[in-house]
């Protein structure tokens, strides 16, 4: 078995690998936050009695849950500049920004379905009681309904974040410098596959293991 242990440990401690892991984590945090904000109006619309609003939300969820994430990434990065040529010259339109947009569009669709179920699980009696106390519609939603829905949906949201960390590896196809992009560049110059892939696996295992411990702590607190 030809496994270069020194190269493996060197890969683990390389600053460029640490930087790639930091970029993946930062992207995941930003996408999770943006997706949560986007999924709230989507979830409310999915439960709405208004046909137009409900149908629009259903179309959004259907479109982005049905589309492969890698295809959405390529459309946002390669296709959007074709439709909007100004993006080609825009210095702010980086692979990180394109990945953020693509991941948010897809993640929000999945989170909206989960949030829709959590909101639907809150009984009408909670809303009626809040109204009886003099709370308006927005106060009722943000102070009474949403906190209870979050207790229900929190495990799903944490799972979504864990999946998001792993899915950032797809962003290498648009040249974002996350873990897999660094690894693929290193393999192209060294042709050492096992050592670099093993180093990448260790990074993902470490990040996901920490998140799983956080998930268990959250579940204990909310039990």
């Amino acid at each position: 078995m030809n496994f270069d242990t020194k190269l493996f440990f060197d890969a683990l401690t390389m600053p460029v690998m640490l930087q790639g892991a930091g970029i993946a984590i930062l992207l995941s945090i930003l996408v999770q936050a943006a997706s949560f904000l986007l999924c709230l109006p989507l979830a409310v619309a999915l439960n709405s009695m208004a046909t137009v609003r409900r149908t629009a939300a259903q179309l959004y969820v259907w479109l982005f849950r049905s589309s492969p994430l890698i295809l959405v990434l390529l459309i946002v990065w390669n296709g959007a500049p074709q439709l909007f040529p100004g993006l080609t010259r825009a210095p702010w339109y980086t692979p990180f920004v394109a990945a953020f947009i693509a991941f948010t569009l897809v993640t929000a669709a999945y989170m909206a379905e989960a949030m829709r179920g959590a909101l639907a699980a809150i009984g009408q009696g909670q809303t009626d009681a809040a109204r009886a106390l003099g709370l308006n519609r927005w106060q009722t939603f943000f102070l009474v309904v949403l906190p209870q829905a979050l207790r229900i949906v929190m495990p799903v949201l944490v799972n979504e974040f864990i999946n998001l960390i792993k899915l950032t590896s797809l962003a290498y196809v648009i040249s974002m410098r996350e873990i897999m992009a660094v690894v693929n560049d290193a393999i192209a110059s060294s042709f050492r596959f096992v050592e670099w892939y093993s180093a990448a696996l260790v990074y993902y295992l470490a990040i996901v293991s920490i998140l799983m411990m956080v998930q268990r702590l959250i579940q204990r607190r909310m039990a």
Side-chain angles (χ1 to χ4, degrees):
M1 180 179 178
N2 183 15
F3 184 86
D4 191 334
T5 306
K6 182 178 182 304
L7 176 59
F8 169 70
F9 284 108
D10 285 345
L12 285 178
T13 56
M14 279 186 176
V16 68
M17 284 287 281
L18 293 170
Q19 184 180 8
I23 290 173
I25 293 170
L26 176 61
L27 176 63
S28 299
I29 291 172
L30 293 177
V31 168
Q32 185 80 358
S35 298
F36 177 74
L37 294 177
L38 180 57
C39 87
L40 286 179
L42 284 170
V44 172
L46 287 171
N47 286 330
S48 175
M49 299 299 292
T51 304
V52 174
R53 188 165 44 176
R54 186 177 66 252
T55 302
Q58 288 171 339
L59 285 173
Y60 177 93
V61 171
W62 166 76
L63 175 63
F64 286 105
R65 289 189 69 182
S66 303
S67 304
L69 177 56
I70 193 168
L71 180 58
V72 178
L73 272 168
L74 292 171
I75 290 173
V76 172
W77 178 242
N78 294 324
Q82 180 180 333
L83 297 175
F84 307 100
L87 292 176
T88 305
R89 299 181 297 274
W92 58 268
Y93 198 68
T94 62
F96 186 92
V97 172
F100 169 77
I101 294 171
F103 277 92
T104 299
L105 290 172
V106 174
T107 304
Y110 284 93
M111 289 175 61
E113 270 296 327
M115 186 60 70
R116 178 200 62 77
L119 292 174
I122 308 302
Q124 183 62 34
Q126 298 288 329
T127 302
D128 294 339
R131 294 291 180 86
L133 292 172
L135 299 181
N136 62 35
R137 185 170 139 191
W138 295 107
Q139 289 172 324
T140 298
F141 180 78
F142 285 106
L143 299 179
V144 177
V145 176
L146 184 58
Q148 295 183 72
L150 284 176
R151 287 178 62 88
I152 297 171
V153 81
M154 187 57 70
V156 177
L157 296 184
V158 177
N159 277 335
E160 196 64 44
F161 185 68
I162 291 172
N163 287 331
L164 194 54
I165 288 284
K166 294 182 288 184
L167 287 172
T168 57
S169 61
L170 294 176
Y172 84 91
V173 301
I174 62 171
S175 302
M176 194 186 83
R177 299 292 296 170
E178 46 69 60
I179 297 172
M180 288 307 300
V182 172
V183 167
N184 285 329
D185 287 349
I187 289 173
S189 60
S190 67
F191 296 100
R192 303 297 299 188
F193 295 91
V194 179
E195 292 85 353
W196 282 100
Y197 285 148
S198 298
L201 178 61
V202 169
Y203 270 87
Y204 284 112
L205 287 174
I207 295 169
V208 171
S209 296
I210 292 170
L211 290 174
M212 290 175 69
M213 287 189 287
V214 172
Q215 182 183 32
R216 284 194 290 269
L217 287 173
I218 292 173
Q219 288 176 332
R220 274 199 214 111
R221 285 182 171 273
M222 300 183 71

